[in-house]
Amino acid sequence: MMPPHPDPLARARLLTSPSVGPAVVRELERITGRPAVPAYTTPGGPFVYVGDMLPEALRAAPGLLWFHSVNAGTDALLAAGPWPEEALLTRTVGRMGERIAQYTLAWVLAECQSVPEHTAQHSRSEWRRLPSELAAGRTAVIHGTGHIGSAVAGLLRACSVRTVGVGRTPRAVPAGFDRVVMAGSDEETVALADARWVVSTLPLTSATERFFGTARFSAMRGAGFVNVGRGATVDMAALEAALHSGSVRRAVLDVLPDEPAGPGDRAWRLPRTVVTSHSAGITADEDVVADFESCWEAVAEGRTPPLAVDTRRGY
């Protein structure tokens, strides 16, 4: 996707969503050198919008040059309708890779040290020695080899965990991975059978919806499953069956197909499962500011920012 021309950008108005706090707005004004106006303002010319969702009236406005999302995921934005032709879409990533990597490692180590079992024993005032194991030498299969997947792989690899990435297009082995196999290949099936943990960092696209279904869960041999990508990439009925059969030993789900999950959601009642309410990679204000500033500098120089979203692919 090509960035907007620097000339219209120089005279574009800056619009911000009500979800953007005052401290961030002040930083956006500093970066762009112009005052911010509320989202309900009629643009009347070229404009840049910063927020969580793009109102329909602004989506249809002819002057939209660029939308910067304060979130990392853009599937909801793209699902709301055709993306305006020629409008740039960028997203906020910040230190999300680091946060999600630490989240994943925390649950891996918690399982190795029997933390859930110790916690349950404590609630019963029960003294009983429980086994522990080393993470070193085990295998983690990580679906998604981009920024987030590489960060997860790098931190697990620092603990001497073997890291196998699963990608959908051929590429050189990214940092953090010992090797990469193709999705849908025999190599992926073998890797899933060898995995101690399977981690999903997948975005939600037409190609990844219900990506984890009966076939992939059946290929596992007692792996722990951690989903830090998108909830709808998982067939929840297939996951439930895999937990009951034992092909999935336990699950940690930071994301679900329907959020927020109400009290009646079946996810709360899955055996050996923890749901953490989409909190693994929360975007901080400083992330929004830093990523918008880097995008602004790139666009002002006529370059496509690294954080630009390919709206055809969905990420």
Side-chain angles (χ1 to χ4, degrees):
M1 178 178 290
M2 295 295 293
H5 195 277
D7 289 344
L9 182 68
R11 53 189 174 84
R13 302 180 76 182
L14 172 65
L15 275 65
T16 56
S17 163
S19 64
V20 180
V24 174
V25 170
R26 287 193 295 271
E27 288 298 297
L28 299 179
E29 292 176 329
R30 174 188 63 80
I31 293 165
T32 61
R34 67 205 68 191
V37 294
Y40 53 77
T41 303
T42 302
F47 68 99
V48 174
Y49 186 88
V50 180
D52 50 354
M53 292 298 290
L54 182 61
E56 187 57 38
L58 295 181
R59 182 185 286 260
L64 176 63
L65 298 177
W66 168 22
F67 177 83
H68 181 78
S69 172
V70 299
N71 300 315
T74 56
D75 46 281
L77 276 168
L78 298 176
W83 189 253
E85 189 174 354
E86 305 300 329
L88 177 68
L89 172 60
T90 57
R91 63 194 185 112
T92 299
V93 173
R95 300 180 70 178
M96 179 173 291
E98 184 180 351
R99 291 187 174 96
I100 290 178
Q102 290 188 12
Y103 171 97
T104 303
L105 178 62
W107 285 104
V108 164
L109 296 181
E111 184 174 4
C112 288
Q113 297 301 318
S114 299
V115 170
E117 291 78 10
H118 279 296
T119 302
Q121 283 191 178
H122 178 89
S123 68
R124 299 190 299 266
S125 303
E126 179 182 348
W127 178 285
R128 181 166 58 90
R129 184 170 291 176
L130 295 173
S132 64
E133 64 175 301
L134 292 174
R138 302 288 188 167
T139 298
V141 175
I142 301 160
H143 287 74
T145 57
H147 174 79
I148 303 297
S150 291
V152 171
L155 195 55
L156 292 176
R157 199 178 184 191
C159 295
S160 300
V161 174
R162 289 189 296 268
T163 54
V164 179
V166 180
R168 293 191 297 112
T169 55
R171 64 171 69 185
V173 178
F177 291 98
D178 292 305
R179 63 190 181 98
V180 173
V181 300
M182 295 296 296
S185 67
D186 291 341
E187 288 181 301
E188 182 198 6
T189 301
V190 172
L192 290 172
D194 291 341
R196 180 68 171 78
W197 299 281
V198 175
V199 182
S200 175
T201 70
L202 294 177
L204 179 60
T205 68
S206 58
T208 63
E209 188 170 5
R210 296 195 171 207
F211 183 89
F212 288 95
T214 300
R216 283 189 168 85
F217 286 132
S218 297
M220 300 177 196
R221 297 291 182 267
F225 179 68
V226 181
N227 189 6
V228 290
R230 281 292 182 263
T233 62
V234 175
D235 180 333
M236 294 297 288
L239 174 59
E240 183 173 8
L243 285 161
H244 283 294
S245 72
S247 61
V248 173
R249 186 179 58 264
R250 66 174 73 233
V252 177
L253 307 176
D254 188 52
V255 288
L256 295 173
D258 298 307
E259 298 178 1
D265 196 305
R266 290 178 66 86
W268 299 117
R269 297 185 296 278
L270 292 176
R272 305 182 307 286
T273 296
V274 175
V275 175
T276 59
S277 308
H278 211 142
S279 58
I282 294 174
T283 304
D285 285 353
E286 56 265 29
D287 296 329
V288 176
V289 172
D291 282 0
F292 178 81
E293 186 163 22
S294 69
C295 290
W296 178 267
E297 291 171 355
V299 173
E301 295 171 2
R303 296 184 287 110
T304 299
L307 292 171
V309 175
D310 183 336
T311 56
R312 294 166 299 179
R313 298 175 68 184
Y315 58 92

